[in-house]
Amino acid sequence: MRIANSCLRVLDSRLQVLLWCLVFFYSGFAAQWTVGVYMCADNGMNDQAYVDLAEMKSVGSTEEVNIVVQVDNAARDSNPGCRRYLVKRTGLELLAELGEVDMADTATLAGFGRFLAQRYPARNYMLVLWDHGNGWQEGAGGLDWIFQDESPAFSQMGVAGGEFGAAVAAVRKALGKRIAVLGLDACLMGMIEVATEVLDCCDYMLASEGLVPWGGWPYDEVLNLLVARPTLTPEEFLPEMCAKYVAEYPDEDICLSALDMRQLQRVLIAARAAIRDSIDPAEAGFRDARAGVQTFSSDPGHAPCPTDDNIDFSDFWQLAPQSGAATLRSTLGPLAVANRGQGAYGRARGAAVWFPDNYLALKTLAGSYAKLAFADSVPWLEFLNCYFATDDVKPTQPEISGHRLGGRGDLRLYWNTATDIAPVGYNLYEAGSTVEEFSDYCEELSRWSATGWSASEQYAHSGARSFFSGSGPNLCNQLVLMTPWEMPHGGLLSFYAYFQTEEVLDSLGRFKRDVCYVEACSGPPWDWQPLDSIYGTASGWHERRYLIPPSYQAWLRLRYVTDSSDNRLGVFVDDIKAYRFGSMRIVGTGLVDTTFYIFNLACGTYHYCVTAQDSFGNTSMVSQFYPVPVTSYAEPYTRPAPFAGACELWVDFPPKDTVDVLVYTISGTLVRKFEEVSGPMIEWDGKNWAGKALADGLYLVVVQGKNFRKVGKIAKVAR
């Protein structure tokens, strides 16, 4: 009887599961489409939200098409705050009062996604993001956003840096599947950089490469397509959607495209291969392509022109030199499954890309651009850098992150990656000791010869004052160290700088800069050598670190030079320090990896630092000095290792000791002995007592002192 009851309970539970599955299938997928419109209207778009809601109400939801809106109105509105509605022909059915929320918060958008999944499941989801837009940039002031929410506090969501991608990914996770159509009713969002951020989140991204008219999408026309034919697939719906949008504005320069995310993955692979392996951006044909490509204006008052920052990615590669990009061109063809453009945007092919018309614009935004997934996937910054054929941007400062020490005095160092708009290699240095040689907190100028420089209370990194370069036209102000530093093995210079200097392009496209030169020399005849050039705008105080070449007398000079045109704040310097090295050697140069092995270190403490240098010769600030204590003596070894004939036999033992060094066969036969060795290196002909070459094989080396013994293995090989 117990077995029978148990079987009935199992059968009953299985029937319940089957029943729930049937209920979920018939109720959960009763709708063909759920259209979720996320309207961030807590800004200057507030009034337009009512216009678009009225268009949606003229169509309304049906059993097969859910139209759900989350709209946040501005504080100045008669009905402020955020609400969720089900849009019906009879009006807006209130689903939730959310109060004052931040629509630019990724968690708020994720919450809307969870709500759609729980309350309005469907075969296809279209998520429409409604607000201002400005392409790929970070949400950090100006017009650089996809969402801007003005209350209760001003906030923005940007694309570079991952906010936008993380928010859409959270919606995809809530839905349990990819969003069928991600629509962006916002300006300038039809960019390959934006699409790459949501590559794994949606099947198609629907957006405009150009500006979107104030009226935005014609929601009555768009939604009626789905309500009239709810079984439309995305592939069938999107071309009609693009056609309706363009037809709504017959007299305007306008475009709209839908990108296939599966095809975008192929485009990224082809673009990476083409740019790295077969493209020379400096080729003249690329300049012709950039001059003639379809561009997109970010100013509603101006038609597109060659100085616009955004260009059509596909159009550019159609105009570019034919060699090296055949595969890329072929993969770009199917990228846009729907595309419409008219007027000045008649050649819009579906996806814009950032391509500033001058190097200064590239340099200014390169740091933000490097935060994009597209910049990780495709070496576009390197392409642009080579296209302009100039580069004065330093790689970011690397930092040594750790080490691993082995028993034979072998060391493996690790450091983080330096970012740059050009390929980067690393230089690794070793210093035996570091001693502070000089320190000046820049409160007064008694240790300096100053022409035009002063101790200013305007800004300071520490204390009350800093050294100020002065500001004005036609300056050549100098600050020269009066007493030189003694650095026979080289050293390190460190100070903090805050600066705002002129850096602009003139009407002929030439750079105009006010520059503070950091220079060093070893005295008469005063051949000053540049360590750095400081110009542009710093966001705050930053430490600057430079290696000083070996010199028994090292002078330092700061020289601020301006021209006759517009001048800025100038340069402030504080907390100047110099460190003298007891010894220094270059361990490696042009290293590609961010790790390096060093072998057979003797006992002692070593200090390491790293610089990054790009292909244009720009060198980063010096990393921190990373101490590595080696507390055990290294095993004996040879150079070369293994050895074939004459070699150097290196041994490690306590300082001031003398030792005997004995070489044995593996079986224990003594073949060579070196007595009363006082230095770490023995020049050895590789022969035994009788002057005969050793046989090939392994040998034991014993380093024997009064209170010391160390054993190691060496290997002899045939020539």
Side-chain angles (χ1 to χ4, degrees):
M1 180 64 72
R2 288 181 178 178
I3 294 176
N5 288 337
S6 176
C7 291
L8 287 172
R9 284 195 297 271
V10 170
L11 180 62
D12 181 59
S13 64
R14 290 178 177 176
L15 287 172
Q16 290 183 44
V17 170
L18 178 61
L19 178 61
W20 277 111
C21 289
L22 290 171
V23 169
F24 180 79
F25 179 83
Y26 284 109
S27 63
F29 290 97
Q32 295 287 338
W33 285 86
T34 287
V35 180
V37 186
Y38 188 80
M39 305 183 76
C40 184
D42 190 357
N43 50 50
M45 296 281 290
N46 181 78
D47 296 344
Q48 182 59 36
Y50 289 103
V51 176
D52 287 351
L53 286 170
E55 292 177 351
M56 296 177 203
K57 285 190 293 183
S58 70
V59 179
S61 301
T62 66
E63 290 186 355
E64 295 190 278
V65 178
N66 302 308
I67 305 170
V68 184
V69 176
Q70 178 167 313
V71 57
D72 185 22
N73 292 115
R76 62 180 171 79
D77 191 84
S78 59
N79 193 28
C82 185
R83 297 164 186 82
R84 289 177 182 152
Y85 298 106
L86 177 65
V87 180
K88 297 184 174 181
R89 288 184 65 89
T90 56
L92 299 176
E93 179 184 325
L94 182 63
L95 302 175
E97 280 273 7
L98 301 181
E100 193 57 70
V101 302
D102 181 4
M103 293 283 278
D105 189 339
T106 57
T108 306
L109 180 55
F112 184 54
R114 289 191 293 272
F115 178 79
L116 295 178
Q118 294 165 3
R119 293 282 297 271
Y120 298 98
R123 294 185 183 276
N124 296 301
Y125 290 92
M126 180 163 72
L127 176 65
V128 181
L129 305 180
W130 182 104
D131 196 2
H132 291 290
N134 195 35
W136 63 266
Q137 298 187 48
E138 293 184 89
L143 294 173
D144 304 343
W145 66 69
I146 169 59
F147 293 124
Q148 176 183 272
D149 192 296
E150 295 183 357
S151 57
F154 187 89
S155 63
Q156 298 170 328
M157 179 189 293
V159 176
E163 288 180 281
F164 172 72
V168 177
V171 174
R172 184 236 188 273
K173 182 178 179 181
L175 297 178
K177 62 179 181 178
R178 295 165 72 102
I179 303 162
V181 178
L182 174 65
L184 297 162
D185 188 1
C187 294
L188 302 167
M189 299 305 293
M191 302 193 71
I192 196 166
E193 294 94 340
V194 176
T196 305
E197 294 291 314
V198 295
L199 181 65
D200 298 323
C201 302
C202 60
D203 294 328
Y204 302 96
M205 189 184 86
L206 179 64
S208 172
E209 296 176 76
L211 296 172
V212 173
W214 190 256
W217 290 6
Y219 285 94
D220 48 356
E221 300 278 359
V222 173
L223 296 174
N224 194 55
L225 287 172
L226 295 177
V227 168
R229 290 177 291 159
T231 57
L232 280 176
T233 64
E235 295 82 359
E236 295 167 332
F237 162 71
L238 290 168
E240 294 191 48
M241 160 68 196
C242 291
K244 292 287 187 185
Y245 172 77
V246 171
E248 181 74 9
Y249 303 97
D251 301 322
E252 297 201 34
D253 300 328
I254 196 171
C255 58
L256 189 67
S257 302
L259 304 181
D260 184 340
M261 296 294 105
R262 292 162 297 187
Q263 186 61 27
L264 176 60
Q265 183 65 62
R266 301 185 186 99
V267 168
L268 296 178
I269 294 171
R272 179 169 60 248
I275 292 173
R276 283 186 174 164
D277 301 334
S278 56
I279 296 298
D280 179 7
E283 190 176 341
F286 283 105
R287 299 199 175 278
D288 296 336
R290 178 60 179 87
V293 72
Q294 172 73 69
T295 65
F296 301 94
S297 174
S298 59
D299 185 346
H302 292 86
C305 66
T307 58
D308 293 327
D309 284 346
N310 292 354
I311 67 166
D312 188 278
F313 194 66
S314 297
D315 191 42
F316 176 75
W317 289 107
Q318 290 298 324
L319 297 173
Q322 297 300 303
S323 60
T327 302
L328 176 55
R329 274 188 286 272
S330 66
T331 57
L332 280 167
L335 177 60
V337 296
N339 178 51
R340 285 294 180 96
Q342 69 183 17
Y345 296 141
R347 283 169 44 217
R349 298 174 184 263
V353 71
W354 184 61
F355 196 139
D357 81 312
N358 66 82
Y359 169 70
L360 185 57
L362 167 66
K363 155 177 159 167
T364 301
L365 294 176
S368 292
Y369 197 86
K371 300 176 184 178
L372 289 164
F374 180 72
D376 286 337
S377 302
V378 176
W380 189 243
L381 280 174
E382 293 180 21
F383 175 87
L384 295 177
N385 201 39
C386 292
Y387 170 84
F388 289 113
T390 186
D391 185 350
D392 64 345
V393 176
K394 294 178 182 295
T396 58
Q397 181 184 38
E399 290 292 314
I400 298 177
S401 55
H403 76 282
R404 188 176 66 199
L405 194 61
R408 296 184 176 181
D410 53 310
L411 168 68
R412 186 172 186 178
L413 284 172
Y414 305 87
W415 56 89
N416 62 7
T417 302
T419 59
D420 194 57
I421 56 179
V424 168
Y426 300 93
N427 303 320
L428 178 61
Y429 301 87
E430 176 189 280
S433 63
T434 59
V435 178
E436 186 175 292
E437 169 76 6
F438 177 88
S439 179
D440 192 331
Y441 294 101
C442 304
E443 296 296 307
E444 44 88 22
L445 291 163
S446 62
R447 303 162 80 179
W448 303 83
S449 173
T451 303
W453 285 73
S454 62
S456 170
E457 295 182 354
Q458 187 174 0
Y459 296 99
H461 176 257
S462 68
R465 296 179 178 85
S466 65
F467 292 163
F468 174 47
S469 65
S471 179
N474 303 315
L475 297 181
C476 186
N477 293 345
Q478 300 188 42
L479 186 67
V480 183
L481 185 67
M482 295 173 64
T483 303
W485 304 321
E486 294 184 5
M487 294 190 173
H489 302 290
L492 176 80
L493 167 65
S494 166
F495 61 81
Y496 286 82
Y498 172 62
F499 52 93
Q500 294 177 15
T501 75
E502 182 185 43
E503 184 187 23
V504 297
L505 291 175
D506 65 16
S507 58
L508 298 178
R510 298 172 302 191
F511 283 110
K512 294 176 59 182
R513 294 188 177 111
D514 295 339
V515 181
C516 180
Y517 297 99
V518 183
E519 300 166 319
C521 78
S522 57
W526 304 108
D527 182 19
W528 293 99
Q529 298 297 314
L531 297 177
D532 195 10
S533 301
I534 300 175
Y535 52 82
T537 300
S539 57
W541 287 95
H542 294 279
E543 186 184 14
R544 307 186 75 85
R545 296 165 59 88
Y546 313 98
L547 290 175
I548 301 175
S551 174
Y552 283 98
Q553 289 189 320
W555 271 267
L556 174 68
R557 179 172 74 174
L558 302 178
R559 181 165 57 95
Y560 185 53
V561 180
T562 67
D563 61 17
S564 60
S565 61
D566 179 42
N567 301 112
R568 306 287 170 81
L569 178 64
V571 179
F572 295 84
V573 172
D574 206 351
D575 297 336
I576 303 173
K577 292 189 177 184
Y579 300 87
R580 182 178 69 252
F581 298 157
S583 64
M584 186 178 73
R585 71 183 181 104
I586 301 174
V587 179
T589 60
L591 307 176
V592 177
D593 294 330
T594 55
T595 183
F596 191 78
Y597 276 105
I598 304 168
F599 296 98
N600 302 112
L601 292 174
C603 275
T605 298
Y606 301 82
H607 297 81
Y608 294 94
C609 66
V610 179
T611 61
Q613 188 173 57
D614 66 22
S615 56
F616 283 79
N618 300 300
T619 303
S620 73
M621 295 293 103
V622 181
S623 75
Q624 89 279 29
F625 269 85
Y626 186 86
V628 177
V630 179
T631 57
S632 62
Y633 291 95
E635 295 180 6
Y637 65 96
T638 62
R639 290 181 180 173
F643 68 100
C647 64
E648 295 175 354
L649 178 58
W650 287 80
V651 293
D652 187 22
F653 51 88
K656 300 181 181 180
D657 276 12
T658 57
V659 295
D660 294 336
V661 179
L662 304 96
V663 182
Y664 294 89
T665 65
I666 292 297
S667 62
T669 301
L670 178 66
V671 296
R672 191 68 184 265
K673 181 179 180 181
F674 303 92
E675 297 179 326
E676 296 185 357
V677 175
S678 59
M681 191 271 286
I682 302 168
E683 292 186 0
W684 180 28
D685 58 11
K687 298 178 181 180
N688 64 11
W689 284 104
K692 294 183 179 181
L694 299 185
D696 297 345
L698 290 177
Y699 293 84
L700 296 176
V701 179
V702 178
V703 182
Q704 182 71 54
K706 184 177 181 181
N707 297 300
F708 177 81
R709 181 181 177 86
K710 193 75 177 182
V711 179
K713 294 179 182 179
I714 59 174
K716 166 70 167 55
V717 295
R719 291 184 184 273

